Amino acid sequence: MRTLVFIVIVYVVFQIIFLSSSQCARLSSNDDNLIEKTCKQTPNYNLCVSSLKSDPKSATADVTGLALIMVKVLNTTATRTLIHINSLLHHSPSPKIKKALLSCADMYYNGIITADVPVSIEALTKGDPKFADDSTLDAAKEATLCEEGFSGNSPLTVDNTNVNNVARVTEAIVKLLL
């Protein structure tokens, strides 16, 4: 039994080492060049590069693949913001803040997460980037509208800015496909 456990452990360690090195081997200077060339055409180069390089699929992705990765980053960022909104709602905010938070929750859930992101993914997958362009622009606008709903006293400024920035980077990459 101990021999079997040892063999399994050795196998798993070997797989981890082998897979890690093969992933590194795939990231060649050509892949870095595509990411860098693409990100230089966005409004936030550093955000673009760090977001794309955090996903191993970017190593072999074309521009459409990079756009899809950014849409997934947008979805993650919007989902984190929605979680933060729900957390703030559970802390009994004032009626004015609660109203703005509920409006933001609606924009994030019904606008970005269940509409803009799926439309963008479908459009990019089907080779019709115009709809992805419209949806990513819409996501940025919804983050801005959420922020404006607080009349200057927003507890979501950082979150809304992050979503807006990711949406703008995503939109810029999608525009390269038009």
Side-chain angles (χ1 to χ4, degrees):
M1 180 69 174
R2 286 185 178 179
T3 305
L4 180 61
V5 169
F6 177 75
I7 291 171
V8 169
I9 290 173
V10 169
Y11 176 77
V12 169
V13 169
F14 176 76
Q15 289 295 322
I16 291 171
I17 291 170
F18 176 74
L19 289 175
S20 296
S21 65
S22 68
Q23 288 291 330
C24 290
R26 275 199 242 159
L27 188 60
S28 69
S29 61
N30 288 338
D31 300 320
D32 281 340
N33 286 342
L34 179 60
I35 291 170
E36 290 176 17
K37 180 181 174 185
T38 302
C39 290
K40 283 180 182 174
Q41 298 178 67
T42 70
N44 192 327
Y45 175 82
N46 291 331
L47 173 65
C48 179
V49 170
S50 65
S51 296
L52 292 174
K53 287 191 175 183
S54 71
D55 188 323
K57 292 178 185 172
S58 68
T60 56
D62 57 8
V63 176
T64 300
L66 297 179
L68 283 165
I69 290 167
M70 286 306 301
V71 171
K72 291 175 186 172
V73 172
L74 175 60
N75 188 54
T76 300
T77 308
T79 300
R80 270 192 246 132
T81 301
L82 183 59
I83 290 167
H84 186 206
I85 292 167
N86 287 330
S87 172
L88 291 170
L89 282 167
H90 283 74
H91 289 91
S92 302
S94 71
K96 183 179 177 183
I97 297 292
K98 183 176 183 174
K99 181 180 177 185
L101 286 170
L102 288 170
S103 176
C104 288
D106 181 59
M107 283 186 261
Y108 272 92
Y109 182 74
N110 293 317
I112 299 172
I113 296 169
T114 62
D116 297 329
V117 166
V119 166
S120 294
I121 291 171
E122 182 179 358
L124 289 167
T125 303
K126 289 183 175 180
D128 191 4
K130 176 62 180 139
F131 289 107
D133 180 49
D134 293 342
S135 293
T136 54
L137 178 60
D138 190 51
K141 288 178 181 178
E142 287 174 292
T144 300
L145 287 172
C146 170
E147 186 66 24
E148 291 170 353
F150 291 96
S151 302
N153 198 14
S154 172
L156 298 173
T157 300
V158 171
D159 300 284
N160 287 326
T161 300
N162 288 339
V163 170
N164 192 301
N165 288 340
V166 170
R168 299 281 179 190
V169 167
T170 306
E171 180 196 11
I173 294 173
V174 169
K175 279 191 180 302
L176 298 175
L177 299 168
L178 296 176

